[in-house]
């Protein structure tokens, strides 16, 4: 018991009553078999190296390991932040798409069952070029593709799922 207290007092250099990591590391370096630790790490050592030389070598090896570990933590933290940012961007994009769908609904989107009285909605609007020709204003192709994608997803979520709903009516959004 007295030996531990003397050792604690010896290595508690700042006299705080606690041992910091650096103080603990010094105690560990002193008490451990430095030769065995270096051999386990496959570090070449001199046959007749003194205990102090071995402790210094082990201390350098430990610093390199700690630096590599700190770098790994920085990398992992950066990766985690990128994943969080990507998840947040996806959530924001999804919310924006939902708001756009609602806005388009408010602007007069019409859900049609069947092809219309005069089969005016039976046309295939799968190509963006056909859609662009149908739109009264010049709308960029990417926007039309986004509208078509939103419309199709909107139909899949609708209460009319399974009924014959003309997917070409999304072109009405672009007018």
């Amino acid at each position: 018991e007295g030996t531990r207290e003397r050792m604690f007092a010896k290595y508690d250099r700042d006299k705080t009553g606690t041992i910091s990591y650096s103080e603990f590391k010094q105690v560990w370096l002193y008490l451990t078999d430095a030769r065995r630790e270096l051999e386990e790490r496959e570090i070449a050592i001199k046959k007749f190296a003194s205990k102090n030389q071995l402790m210094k070598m082990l201390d350098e090896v430990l610093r390199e390991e700690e630096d590599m570990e700190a770098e790994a933590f920085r990398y992992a933290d950066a990766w985690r932040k990128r994943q969080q940012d990507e998840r947040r961007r996806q959530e924001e994009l999804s919310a924006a798409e939902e708001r756009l769908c609602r806005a388009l609904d408010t602007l007069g989107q019409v859900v049609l069952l069947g092809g219309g009285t005069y089969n005016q909605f039976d046309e295939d609007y799968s190509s963006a070029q056909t859609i662009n020709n149908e739109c009264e204003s010049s709308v960029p192709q990417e926007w039309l593709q986004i509208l078509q994608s939103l419309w199709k997803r909107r139909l899949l979520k609708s209460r009319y799922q399974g009924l014959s709903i003309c997917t070409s009516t999304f072109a009405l959004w672009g007018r």
Side-chain angles (χ1 to χ4, degrees):
E1 187 76 30
T3 306
R4 287 187 210 158
E5 289 176 9
R6 281 193 302 276
M7 189 176 291
F8 184 89
K10 177 181 176 182
Y11 286 99
D12 182 19
R13 297 179 196 264
D14 56 4
K15 305 300 179 202
T16 60
T18 61
I19 293 181
S20 67
Y21 175 73
S22 61
E23 292 169 338
F24 172 80
K25 188 171 147 185
Q26 291 305 311
V27 172
W28 183 83
L29 284 169
Y30 178 75
L31 295 176
T32 193
D33 183 352
R35 180 175 297 278
R36 191 191 70 188
E37 290 291 333
L38 290 167
E39 287 172 350
E40 286 179 0
R41 288 173 170 80
E42 299 178 1
I43 305 293
I45 52 177
K46 296 177 185 175
K47 188 171 188 176
F48 297 106
S50 70
K51 180 171 177 148
N52 282 340
Q53 289 173 322
L54 294 174
M55 285 174 48
K56 285 179 184 177
M57 286 178 64
L58 183 56
D59 190 31
E60 287 178 33
V61 169
L62 291 175
R63 285 184 188 165
E64 289 174 12
E65 289 175 358
E66 289 167 352
D67 289 345
M68 289 186 336
E69 183 178 284
E71 180 63 26
F73 277 118
R74 282 191 294 276
Y75 179 80
D77 190 48
W79 181 86
R80 181 184 54 81
K81 287 178 182 176
R82 283 192 307 272
Q83 292 299 314
Q84 288 175 335
D85 289 345
E86 181 61 26
R87 196 170 19 258
R88 189 183 71 250
R89 277 192 295 273
Q90 289 298 324
E91 290 170 358
E92 289 172 357
L93 179 60
S94 179
E97 288 176 349
E98 182 61 29
R99 285 192 298 274
L100 177 60
C101 285
R102 287 182 184 167
L104 292 169
D105 286 345
T106 303
L107 291 172
Q109 169 265 351
V110 177
V111 176
L112 298 170
L113 302 176
T117 306
Y118 302 105
N119 295 323
Q120 67 268 35
F121 299 112
D122 280 343
E123 298 177 41
D124 179 21
Y125 285 91
S126 58
S127 79
Q129 185 60 42
T130 305
I131 296 160
N132 198 24
N133 291 338
E134 290 293 319
C135 292
E136 292 174 7
S137 62
S138 177
V139 179
Q141 292 291 343
E142 310 89 58
W143 293 8
L144 292 170
Q145 290 169 349
I146 291 170
L147 285 173
Q148 185 177 29
S149 171
L150 289 172
W151 176 246
K152 286 182 179 178
R153 278 190 280 163
R154 190 83 167 159
L155 288 176
L156 290 176
K157 289 182 184 177
S158 79
R159 59 189 166 133
Y160 301 109
Q161 187 176 359
L163 297 176
S164 174
I165 299 174
C166 182
T167 59
S168 64
T169 57
F170 85 92
L172 294 175
W173 274 359
R175 292 187 181 202

